[in-house]
Amino acid sequence: MNQTEQLSNWLNYLIIAFYIHLLVPSRFSGKRAAAVLTAGSLATFLFSLFWFLYKGRAFVMTFSALIIVLPVLLLSLFYAKYRDARTIFTVVTICSIMMGVGIVGEIWKHFLSPWAEIPLEMALHLALLTAIARVFQEQFFLIQERFRRLWLLLTAIPLLYCEIFDLLAESARLSPYRGEGTAVVLMAVCAMMATYVLLLLFFRQLRMQLEQERANQILMAQVEMMKAQEQAILRSEDRIRIYRHDLRHYLQIADEHLRGGRYQEAQKVVKDLDEQVSKSTAVRCYCKNLTVNAALSGYLRRAEEEGIAVRSALEFPAPLPAEELELAVVLANAAENALHACQKMPEGAPRSIVLSGQVVGSSFLLEIANTYRGKIAIDPKTDLPLPEGEEHGVGTKSIIAFAHKYGVLLDCSAEGGWFVLRLLFQMEGR
């Protein structure tokens, strides 16, 4: 094994470690993940180097599945967050990429100096690693998190390309590459890259579709809840009107009991009236708009039941700056996030939710504020808090989509123990 082969072999394991880092979600974090990957890569390299020195290159290439691929797979499974077919697919994909780039390097070695093979392969790997880090990594991690099945079946795709590259490499050993052979190799490499891109796009579209369906289900549930709450408000108002009409009769009966010295009977009439009025006003009024009030009531009433102070000063302009139902859903999502933030605060800490809406010149400003403890991570892409759970993420996406649709300026701040979400509507032309 000459120095060039040793250098190429070590660089290949180093590149594999980078691919694992970019394509395999780790169960470790920070420096520990880097240490595990570095130590594991060194161990797999020394294992293959032993067989290179002991048995030679031909033996290692014949049993490459056991000497090279299997140790890399075991390292990846130990390092990976998902120890299942998702990691197996990723490792076989990395192997197919390494074989594809290697065979391209073999072609150029015949046209140029043998020393040109390593720099060319490193340049190709650097380009692929950069593209993965900047374009594909985030989407691939999301796809692995969202989809747990079919990965073993999909592993057939990189296995097929590994077999194709193996046959092409065997053909090259029998007869050096010429024009047609070079074209076949380049077409195979391009086909492999196109296949992976198409797979990624397909899974991305499927994930977006499933998220949209789930968001629609949540939206429909919110709409049904708002309709039920709105009907409860209307029934409550009807009962209040009835009791207001009958109030003089109750007072007359109570007065008669008092005049006759029947104090217990008078007290019973007053108590009965109080209970009836209490039932009628069970639905709190947080704003004059019935639909918005219905959307907010579920979360704000729960907040009050948990001892969270709620203050609402929502005044809406006429006409509304957005569709009534969409505005109600956005406020419900914001109120839900505020409720969750207050629920995470330690017991005994002052907790509050404040909602306000006011016209400022030709604009309408909505503010939803809540107390919080701890740190709030802000997404640099949206300037909004990063979601801590799947449902929270759906609510945040709903608010962002609403803002894009109506040209609303979104802003938030977190200081002094208060988080404030602001939505600024432009009222011109309305």
Side-chain angles (χ1 to χ4, degrees):
M1 186 178 185
N2 57 43
Q3 292 182 346
T4 303
E5 288 179 336
Q6 290 181 11
L7 177 62
S8 176
N9 195 24
W10 165 240
L11 287 176
N12 281 337
Y13 276 98
L14 183 63
I15 292 296
I16 288 173
F18 279 111
Y19 278 118
I20 293 173
H21 171 68
L22 290 177
L23 293 174
V24 178
S26 177
R27 64 190 180 99
F28 304 103
S29 60
K31 295 180 179 179
R32 190 176 181 186
V36 168
L37 200 53
T38 302
S41 299
L42 181 60
T44 53
F45 166 71
L46 293 175
F47 179 76
S48 67
L49 180 62
F50 168 78
W51 289 106
F52 261 110
L53 297 176
Y54 182 62
K55 288 291 187 177
R57 178 183 176 85
F59 177 85
V60 171
M61 297 311 296
T62 302
F63 297 97
S64 60
L66 295 176
I67 297 175
I68 299 175
V69 178
L70 183 59
V72 171
L73 176 60
L74 293 175
L75 168 62
S76 300
L77 289 172
F78 178 75
Y79 173 84
K81 179 180 179 181
Y82 310 116
R83 299 180 177 183
D84 51 25
R86 286 171 282 191
T87 300
I88 295 174
F89 169 85
T90 304
V91 170
V92 179
T93 296
I94 293 172
C95 291
S96 67
I97 293 173
M98 297 297 297
M99 292 179 70
V101 172
I103 205 168
V104 172
E106 282 284 335
I107 292 174
W108 282 98
K109 185 172 70 174
H110 289 285
F111 290 102
L112 302 173
S113 167
W115 285 98
E117 180 183 2
I118 294 178
L120 175 67
E121 289 184 9
M122 293 303 105
L124 289 174
H125 283 305
L126 181 61
L128 287 172
L129 289 168
T130 302
I132 290 171
R134 293 185 176 181
V135 181
F136 299 110
Q137 184 189 40
E138 182 179 358
Q139 291 296 327
F140 189 58
F141 278 12
L142 288 173
I143 288 169
Q144 290 187 70
E145 181 181 0
R146 184 66 180 82
F147 300 99
R148 300 181 181 181
R149 300 179 181 179
L150 298 178
W151 290 99
L152 197 59
L153 182 62
L154 289 174
T155 304
I157 296 174
L159 278 175
L160 175 62
Y161 281 111
C162 286
E163 185 63 26
I164 291 173
F165 292 138
D166 188 54
L167 291 174
L168 290 173
E170 182 65 25
S171 175
R173 283 191 285 271
L174 296 176
S175 60
Y177 288 111
R178 293 294 182 262
E180 292 183 359
T182 299
V184 170
V185 169
L186 294 177
M187 288 175 62
V189 172
C190 292
M192 178 186 69
M193 298 303 175
T195 301
Y196 289 137
V197 171
L198 289 174
L199 270 178
L200 185 67
L201 292 175
F202 168 75
F203 274 110
R204 179 186 178 187
Q205 185 65 31
L206 183 59
R207 181 178 62 84
M208 292 173 63
Q209 182 178 347
L210 291 174
E211 286 183 354
Q212 185 60 47
E213 289 178 358
R214 188 174 183 280
N216 290 339
Q217 291 174 355
I218 294 175
L219 177 60
M220 291 303 297
Q222 289 177 328
V223 170
E224 292 301 320
M225 179 192 69
M226 286 188 293
K227 288 180 178 178
Q229 191 70 14
E230 185 175 358
Q231 291 299 317
I233 293 172
L234 292 174
R235 288 194 299 270
S236 176
E237 290 182 346
D238 288 339
R239 285 197 296 268
I240 289 173
R241 282 194 292 269
I242 293 171
Y243 288 124
R244 187 183 295 121
H245 176 269
D246 294 342
L247 179 60
R248 64 180 185 274
H249 301 304
Y250 279 95
L251 294 177
Q252 184 178 355
I253 295 171
D255 182 62
E256 289 296 328
H257 285 308
L258 289 171
R259 287 177 183 276
R262 296 183 294 276
Y263 300 112
Q264 290 185 351
E265 286 81 356
Q267 187 178 16
K268 184 179 178 183
V269 171
V270 174
K271 185 178 179 181
D272 181 62
L273 176 61
D274 180 64
E275 289 178 355
Q276 296 296 334
V277 172
S278 296
K279 291 179 182 178
S280 301
T281 57
V283 179
R284 280 285 308 275
C285 183
Y286 298 100
C287 71
K288 294 179 180 179
N289 184 287
L290 291 180
T291 303
V292 175
N293 192 76
L296 292 173
S297 292
Y299 301 112
L300 298 184
R301 187 174 64 250
R302 194 191 317 169
E304 290 179 321
E305 290 172 354
E306 295 184 18
I308 301 170
V310 175
R311 298 194 303 275
S312 178
L314 287 172
E315 296 289 340
F316 295 101
L320 291 173
E323 289 296 327
E324 185 178 53
L325 186 58
E326 292 180 272
L327 181 62
V329 170
V330 164
L331 283 169
N333 284 322
E336 182 183 19
N337 291 339
L339 172 61
H340 289 314
C342 289
Q343 287 172 332
K344 293 177 183 177
M345 295 181 68
E347 188 176 352
R351 302 179 297 171
S352 298
I353 298 175
V354 179
L355 300 94
S356 65
Q358 57 182 328
V359 175
V360 182
S362 60
S363 303
F364 173 62
L365 177 63
L366 270 178
E367 288 189 345
I368 302 91
N370 61 268
T371 52
Y372 76 96
R373 286 287 178 87
K375 294 183 179 179
I376 296 180
I378 302 296
D379 188 345
K381 296 180 181 179
T382 63
D383 291 327
L384 293 175
L386 285 169
E388 297 182 1
E390 195 172 352
E391 292 186 5
H392 292 69
V394 172
T396 301
K397 289 177 182 178
S398 174
I399 294 173
I400 293 172
F402 174 85
H404 287 166
K405 179 177 180 179
Y406 290 101
V408 176
L409 296 178
L410 276 178
D411 176 53
C412 68
S413 62
E415 55 185 1
W418 281 89
F419 174 80
V420 183
L421 175 66
R422 303 179 185 87
L423 295 89
L424 185 64
F425 298 79
Q426 298 301 321
M427 300 290 292
E428 294 179 3
R430 285 189 166 270

